[in-house]
Amino acid sequence: MSDALQKTITLLLLITLGLLLKGKFKNKDQTNGIKEIILSVALPSTIFISLMKIDIDSSMIVIPLVTLVFNFLMFFSAPLAFALFGVEKNSPTGRTLMMLIPSLAPGLSCFPFIAEFLGEKSLAIAALADVGNKFFVLISLYILAMNMFLKNSNDQETKLGGKLKSLFVSMFQEPINLLIFLAILLLSFGINYGSLPLVVQEVFDKTSAMMTPLVLLFIGLAVQLKEGKKRIVASILFFRAGITMIISAGMIYILNITDNAMILLAIVIPLSAASFWPLAHISAFNLREDSKNMPKEKRTFDLELAVLLLAFSLPFSTILILGILSSGTFFAHNTTLITAGLILIALGALPNALSKVFVKMSKA
């Protein structure tokens, strides 16, 4: 049995263990506690170690910029989905999808697998890439949500400056961001991981070791089996993955990326699950509309759809990323990547196309 297959089976068994333990974690606060340990302790430690072990130079500033460009390409590609799925852009569903489709949450859905399959250097590059994505989901998407809300409700009371200031403060309060900036600062003074006191290294090593098993258990615990708006959610996730692969293929070609590890990074980071931050922005504006007793159909966003999409996005992205990384270099070719992307888009469009056919047949 190959090392990649053994590793994949081990990771899948840990996810299965999380599924089996769902009955023991009936309280949502318990699973949220595990998530908080991952995001505040285990993941920041892992990324700090990875960054401190590589040589970072000024040319690496291009990495977060490339991710930011990808976010905007996904944002402008999102309306393509509306024609396929019969969604109106200026509707609560359309505005919600415009917020969620281009957002990325690589921490839970991508980083553990990059660490396992591609190593610490690749994880450090992925962490830098996420800096650009963080700027997009925290700042750009908030401004977008604000603009949508003001247009929909004619609300002139919200002060953008104060909200943006609080978002910047919250961004710098996140442990993962603090440790990324600390690592870059230390490296700029010539201090690497081996230069740190052994006690400090031990603390980071021990807390980092928790990341992969905790993330996989959390994925198993967090899987939601509720149906809800399952057709539109499944269609959007397939479309999102497909258009992501096509954009990744284009960026790999334009940037002339030839290293297999970098190609796989360029594929799997964009395939990360949708971010929680758009939901946070949506929830904030939804509360304002709650106070006005606004009916659902007239609201700016569809909160129920956003929650459902996030719930299914994590396991969906995990399966895709795990499958791609465990297949070696199979997807590290643009022809394969574009073909896979087109197949996923077709799968996303299929349910809506079939429903239209059935409607026509019933009327005939």
Side-chain angles (χ1 to χ4, degrees):
M1 191 183 292
S2 68
D3 288 343
L5 185 57
Q6 288 184 45
K7 193 172 289 185
T8 302
I9 292 171
T10 302
L11 299 179
L12 287 173
L13 286 173
L14 284 168
I15 293 174
T16 305
L17 181 58
L19 283 167
L20 294 173
L21 290 171
K22 280 179 76 74
K24 299 284 186 182
F25 289 80
K26 295 177 182 178
N27 189 337
K28 193 177 179 181
D29 290 339
Q30 292 175 311
T31 52
N32 284 342
I34 295 174
K35 181 182 177 181
E36 194 59 42
I37 292 172
I38 294 167
L39 296 178
S40 298
V41 181
L43 185 58
S45 293
T46 304
I47 288 173
F48 179 78
I49 292 170
S50 302
L51 286 171
M52 291 293 288
K53 286 185 176 180
I54 68 165
D55 296 324
I56 294 181
D57 56 59
S58 58
S59 65
M60 283 190 169
I61 194 172
V62 74
I63 294 171
L65 291 177
V66 168
T67 313
L68 190 58
V69 169
F70 170 84
N71 287 129
F72 279 105
L73 287 174
M74 281 295 290
F75 172 74
F76 290 115
S77 301
L80 296 175
F82 300 156
L84 290 175
F85 311 133
V87 174
E88 187 184 339
K89 184 178 177 180
N90 291 318
S91 65
T93 298
R95 289 187 286 264
T96 301
L97 295 179
M98 288 292 290
M99 292 285 290
L100 285 165
I101 287 175
S103 68
L104 301 175
L108 290 172
S109 58
C110 187
F111 285 173
F113 305 110
I114 290 174
E116 290 293 325
F117 285 93
L118 301 179
E120 290 181 339
K121 182 178 179 180
S122 294
L123 180 61
I125 293 170
L128 287 175
D130 190 37
V131 172
N133 171 62
K134 284 279 180 63
F135 181 88
F136 179 79
V137 296
L138 284 171
I139 309 301
S140 301
L141 285 185
Y142 181 81
I143 294 172
L144 173 68
M146 172 78 76
N147 187 49
M148 289 176 175
F149 172 75
L150 293 176
K151 280 185 177 180
N152 187 60
S153 62
N154 296 317
D155 188 325
Q156 303 299 324
E157 298 175 8
T158 306
K159 294 181 180 179
L160 181 60
K163 291 290 184 181
L164 289 179
K165 182 180 178 181
S166 67
L167 278 172
F168 274 114
V169 170
S170 67
M171 186 170 73
F172 283 100
Q173 285 177 341
E174 284 189 44
I176 189 169
N177 294 333
L178 285 174
L179 285 180
I180 286 174
F181 291 123
L182 176 61
I184 293 171
L185 181 65
L186 291 173
L187 288 168
S188 67
F189 286 106
I191 301 170
N192 57 28
Y193 195 64
S195 307
L196 298 176
L198 287 175
V199 174
V200 175
Q201 291 183 42
E202 279 289 308
V203 170
F204 278 104
D205 288 340
K206 298 296 184 188
T207 51
S208 171
M210 299 189 297
M211 184 185 73
T212 300
L214 276 181
V215 166
L216 297 172
L217 287 171
F218 174 77
I219 290 169
L221 290 168
V223 169
Q224 298 291 326
L225 302 176
K226 297 177 182 177
E227 293 190 356
K229 303 176 180 178
K230 61 180 182 180
R231 184 175 67 81
I232 185 67
V233 167
S235 294
I236 288 298
L237 290 176
F238 275 108
F239 170 83
R240 182 176 180 266
I243 200 73
T244 290
M245 286 184 169
I246 291 172
I247 292 174
S248 291
M251 295 187 82
I252 289 166
Y253 177 77
I254 291 169
L255 297 173
N256 194 27
I257 302 172
T258 55
D259 179 69
N260 282 333
M262 288 297 292
I263 289 172
L264 288 172
L265 276 181
I267 297 169
V268 298
I269 293 174
L271 284 172
S272 300
S275 173
F276 166 80
W277 279 104
L279 177 63
H281 303 328
I282 287 170
S283 299
F285 292 114
N286 193 65
L287 281 174
R288 292 181 67 89
E289 291 170 338
D290 275 342
S291 64
K292 298 176 182 179
N293 295 316
M294 190 179 290
K296 280 188 177 182
E297 64 274 9
K298 292 186 177 180
R299 296 200 174 202
T300 309
F301 303 106
D302 185 339
L303 185 61
E304 181 187 340
L305 176 63
V307 171
L308 197 64
L309 191 64
L310 280 178
F312 281 95
S313 178
L314 180 58
F316 183 84
S317 291
T318 299
I319 291 167
L320 276 179
I321 291 167
L322 193 52
I324 289 169
L325 291 177
S326 62
S327 65
T329 58
F330 178 76
F331 285 91
H333 307 281
N334 270 0
T335 50
T336 307
L337 200 54
I338 292 170
T339 303
L342 291 173
I343 290 171
L344 287 169
I345 290 172
L347 288 172
L350 190 60
N352 189 54
L354 288 175
S355 68
K356 286 182 179 179
V357 171
F358 288 137
V359 168
K360 286 182 180 179
M361 287 175 65
S362 65
K363 289 180 178 179

